Amino acid sequence: MTLTDIAIVGVGKIARDQHLPAIAEGGQFRLAATVSRSGGVERVENFDTLDALLEARPGIGVISFCTPPQVRYEGARAALEAGRHVMLEKPPGASLSEVEDLRALAGEKGLTLYATWHSRHADGVAGARAWLADKRVQSVRIDWKEDVRVWHPGQVWIWEAGGLGVFDPAINAFSILTEILPVPIHVTGAELRFPSNCETPIAADVSFAGPHGLTATADLDFLYEGDPFWTMAIETDGGMLTLTQGGAVLEVPGDRQGEGWGDQPGIHGEYPRLYSEMARLLAAGQSEVDTRPLTLVADAFMLGRRVDVAPFTDPTLKET
Amino acid sequence: MTLTDIAIVGVGKIARDQHLPAIAEGGQFRLAATVSRSGGVERVENFDTLDALLEARPGIGVISFCTPPQVRYEGARAALEAGRHVMLEKPPGASLSEVEDLRALAGEKGLTLYATWHSRHADGVAGARAWLADKRVQSVRIDWKEDVRVWHPGQVWIWEAGGLGVFDPAINAFSILTEILPVPIHVTGAELRFPSNCETPIAADVSFAGPHGLTATADLDFLYEGDPFWTMAIETDGGMLTLTQGGAVLEVPGDRQGEGWGDQPGIHGEYPRLYSEMARLLAAGQSEVDTRPLTLVADAFMLGRRVDVAPFTDPTLKET
């Protein structure tokens, strides 16, 4: 099988931790080039700008964006205008309106646009969706807690407007929730806790509702020490479903699926599935752009009450 | 021609100022009942709750919601579930996700759902859209300024989470902009000025971008004294377009359309057109739910930097 040439734009933590290994191991793509101002990957051509890559390497048909959301749109639009297929890290943009713009452009150009949600590919998610399909969901409780100092060291963009703060991890929970629930859900309120020196919240409570009395709550905390606590519990007329370890472990009455992360907390096995899905979309000539997780976040910001909390200083930052 | 029975839910300022006269004069609908806790309309049956109306008056096939956005979803869902067509004041809900839910439900039920944007029916808007269709838009400047104490006396819900604050009027500008621009536009940043005692902003600056260097700015102010200043100016390769008086007056090189509001500033002629459009949608068995204006607002909240400003006390409120 021929490998498809792909380029990575933005060679930061998520690219090195997840994208590069997933591409190397996946057997669908070949990393043909990178775009990074701070250094690329050994033995792979690196460009300082996306424009330089698009001009110099017309044969690279697929561009995967790992840049922060605040700068994703301009690059993605340029890539689509240059006739390249595009894959976007989550969240697919800093605004819903820019993602709609990209969706329309990809449609006009007949190109594949894949807005990825890696957590939807955690080991327990497909089983959760199947199990819930014929249940009546009564309530959902999400706890999504991690230590930003451990999981996002030095990532200043998280605290800048558009970086989403605690919703950067929480959108993973929302991507799972919208994937597995058999009914729609909407935000009814939120409390957003903004450190006085940050433009995004460091913690939040969000409440949701759905048809026929369904309620959900999300307790989100970005200063939680110890192993990440990425959990959702769903009460149904057929008993309780839990997804733990970020969706890697599913438990329902009489069944447990997923091996979990053992002594290595984190994301396992999700990114290779994203690249498999991208290969499938390319072969089928399709796009996949589901903005529901980002819509829930935008709704929480629009509906949320804001509360000031203590300033946050990231000890992993050299300068703040 | 037979009049279609319609009920109004929420008999507040906008219902009395606009909906009731529009229904009375329009020749398409007959006000058959109201739902209001604080008093209805003379010689029209009033119910304390929507549920009571839905049960007592199965013959009323159309329900028009004039309630504040925070409570619109539950009523609209109940009406659709009871098989009634639904018309929603702007904004169509307090969250995007709830409007998507209603859109899906109306589709399943084969009912008409009309999310109205009254400003799109101002006298100059259709002409603006037609004139812009073959132009290249370079920049847009929106100024949307009014005195909340004059235009929203006693409307506490505006300052409560989900009430949008200054975006309650500004969404009118966004509804016009998304209607007339020939290209998509997205939010790139915002400064949101929150009075320290309010959950929503009283003023904001929003910046937007679109394809090929298009930029837009919106200067929004809810404490602007004097006649409302509801204006947008659009620079194009064919000259400057201005919409003033909330879209009632259009000026382009060599042409001026719309009589304007004379010595009576405010909304003129828009609501009768909403009810005509509702009659057309009903006859055609269609829905119209365009969430782009609310998406721009949600994006501004999600992307916006928040600034604290002086507390706001509405002198028209009896209690705050």
Side-chain angles (χ1 to χ4, degrees):
Chain A
M1 188 177 155
T2 319
L3 298 180
T4 302
D5 277 355
I6 194 168
I8 291 273
V9 180
V11 186
K13 180 168 166 55
I14 194 70
R16 292 188 189 280
D17 288 355
Q18 300 291 343
H19 289 260
L20 299 177
I23 290 170
E25 295 158 19
Q28 295 116 356
F29 296 97
R30 183 180 76 95
L31 183 66
T34 56
V35 176
S36 172
R37 284 204 178 81
S38 57
V41 175
E42 219 180 319
R43 287 189 294 274
V44 175
E45 188 178 15
N46 183 59
F47 294 86
D48 280 349
T49 67
L50 175 62
D51 285 346
L53 175 141
L54 292 173
E55 193 171 320
R57 300 290 300 274
I60 300 177
V62 185
I63 318 270
S64 179
F65 285 86
C66 306
T67 40
Q70 292 100 328
V71 298
R72 212 164 279 153
Y73 168 80
E74 299 224 342
R77 183 165 244 281
L80 290 167
E81 288 191 337
R84 317 304 169 91
H85 305 287
V86 166
M87 188 166 162
L88 299 170
E89 244 302 346
K90 47 81 21 177
S95 70
L96 287 160
S97 38
E98 73 190 48
V99 180
E100 291 306 330
D101 176 333
L102 296 177
R103 184 212 300 274
L105 180 61
E108 283 166 28
K109 295 263 182 185
L111 294 166
T112 291
L113 176 65
Y114 179 23
T116 67
W117 299 107
H118 66 80
S119 290
R120 288 184 172 175
H121 296 273
D123 287 344
V125 172
R129 180 187 168 101
W131 189 83
L132 286 170
D134 63 355
K135 306 292 184 304
R136 179 160 177 148
V137 178
Q138 291 150 350
S139 70
V140 179
R141 181 188 164 91
I142 294 170
D143 289 277
W144 219 259
K145 304 176 180 186
E146 68 185 61
D147 191 335
V148 65
R149 297 157 291 198
V150 172
W151 294 91
H152 300 274
Q155 295 183 356
V156 188
W157 59 266
I158 292 224
W159 305 111
E160 294 170 346
L164 300 188
V166 73
F167 286 96
D168 181 73
I171 204 169
N172 295 335
F174 298 174
S175 75
I176 293 174
L177 189 65
T178 48
E179 173 75 7
I180 65 177
L181 278 189
V183 290
I185 196 161
H186 64 272
V187 176
T188 55
E191 180 174 297
L192 312 171
R193 296 191 270 285
F194 283 72
S196 51
N197 63 336
C198 297
E199 295 175 355
T200 57
I202 199 161
D205 291 311
V206 185
S207 54
F208 308 80
H212 311 296
L214 166 62
T215 57
T217 58
D219 182 350
L220 314 176
D221 184 358
F222 224 167
L223 289 177
Y224 182 81
E225 299 188 6
D227 287 350
F229 195 73
W230 296 327
T231 294
M232 65 181 70
I234 304 184
E235 263 190 294
T236 78
D237 59 356
M240 174 81 86
L241 174 150
T242 61
L243 276 170
T244 53
Q245 302 189 18
V249 176
L250 166 67
E251 287 179 271
V252 293
D255 193 22
R256 179 190 159 101
Q257 295 175 18
E259 294 175 18
W261 59 42
D263 53 2
Q264 267 215 311
I267 297 165
H268 300 286
E270 300 174 14
Y271 280 79
R273 292 173 193 147
L274 294 183
Y275 282 91
S276 296
E277 177 65 7
M278 183 66 184
R280 190 193 70 72
L281 290 169
L282 286 168
Q286 295 172 344
S287 284
E288 186 187 315
V289 184
D290 180 357
T291 53
R292 287 177 298 162
L294 189 58
T295 300
L296 293 177
V297 173
D299 283 343
F301 274 87
M302 182 164 64
L303 263 173
R305 287 186 307 113
R306 286 146 197 252
V307 177
D308 285 325
V309 298
F312 170 68
T313 308
D314 184 345
T316 67
L317 291 182
K318 285 174 196 100
E319 42 180 23
T320 45
Chain B
M1 186 178 156
T2 319
L3 299 180
T4 302
D5 277 355
I6 194 169
I8 290 271
V9 180
V11 187
K13 180 168 166 54
I14 195 69
R16 293 189 190 279
D17 288 356
Q18 301 291 343
H19 289 259
L20 299 177
I23 290 170
E25 295 158 19
Q28 294 118 354
F29 296 97
R30 184 180 76 93
L31 183 66
T34 56
V35 175
S36 173
R37 284 206 178 79
S38 57
V41 176
E42 219 180 319
R43 286 190 295 274
V44 175
E45 187 178 16
N46 183 57
F47 294 85
D48 279 350
T49 67
L50 175 63
D51 284 345
L53 175 141
L54 292 173
E55 192 171 323
R57 300 289 300 274
I60 299 177
V62 186
I63 318 270
S64 180
F65 286 86
C66 307
T67 40
Q70 293 100 328
V71 298
R72 210 164 280 154
Y73 167 81
E74 299 225 344
R77 183 164 244 280
L80 290 168
E81 288 191 337
R84 317 304 169 89
H85 305 287
V86 166
M87 188 166 162
L88 300 170
E89 244 301 347
K90 49 84 14 181
S95 70
L96 287 161
S97 39
E98 74 190 47
V99 181
E100 291 306 329
D101 177 335
L102 296 177
R103 184 213 300 272
L105 181 60
E108 282 166 29
K109 295 262 182 189
L111 295 165
T112 292
L113 175 64
Y114 180 22
T116 68
W117 299 107
H118 66 81
S119 290
R120 287 184 173 175
H121 296 272
D123 286 346
V125 172
R129 180 188 168 99
W131 190 83
L132 286 170
D134 63 354
K135 306 292 185 300
R136 178 160 178 148
V137 178
Q138 290 150 350
S139 69
V140 179
R141 182 188 162 92
I142 294 171
D143 289 276
W144 220 259
K145 303 176 181 188
E146 67 185 60
D147 191 336
V148 64
R149 295 157 293 199
V150 171
W151 293 91
H152 300 274
Q155 294 182 356
V156 187
W157 59 265
I158 292 225
W159 304 113
E160 294 170 347
L164 299 188
V166 73
F167 287 95
D168 182 72
I171 205 169
N172 295 337
F174 297 173
S175 75
I176 293 174
L177 189 64
T178 46
E179 173 76 6
I180 66 178
L181 278 190
V183 289
I185 197 163
H186 64 274
V187 177
T188 55
E191 180 173 298
L192 312 171
R193 295 191 271 283
F194 282 73
S196 51
N197 63 336
C198 296
E199 295 174 355
T200 57
I202 199 162
D205 291 310
V206 186
S207 54
F208 308 81
H212 310 298
L214 166 62
T215 58
T217 57
D219 183 349
L220 314 176
D221 184 358
F222 225 167
L223 288 177
Y224 182 81
E225 298 188 6
D227 286 351
F229 194 74
W230 296 328
T231 294
M232 65 182 71
I234 303 184
E235 262 190 295
T236 78
D237 58 355
M240 174 81 86
L241 174 151
T242 61
L243 277 169
T244 53
Q245 302 188 19
V249 177
L250 167 67
E251 288 179 271
V252 291
D255 194 21
R256 179 189 159 101
Q257 295 175 19
E259 295 176 16
W261 57 43
D263 54 2
Q264 266 216 311
I267 297 165
H268 300 286
E270 301 175 14
Y271 280 79
R273 293 174 192 147
L274 295 183
Y275 282 91
S276 295
E277 176 66 6
M278 183 65 183
R280 191 193 69 73
L281 290 168
L282 287 168
Q286 295 172 344
S287 284
E288 186 187 315
V289 184
D290 180 357
T291 53
R292 286 176 299 161
L294 189 58
T295 300
L296 293 176
V297 172
D299 283 343
F301 275 86
M302 182 164 63
L303 263 173
R305 284 187 308 114
R306 173 188 61 124
V307 177
D308 285 325
V309 297
F312 171 68
T313 309
D314 183 345
T316 66
L317 291 182
K318 285 173 196 100
E319 43 179 22
T320 46

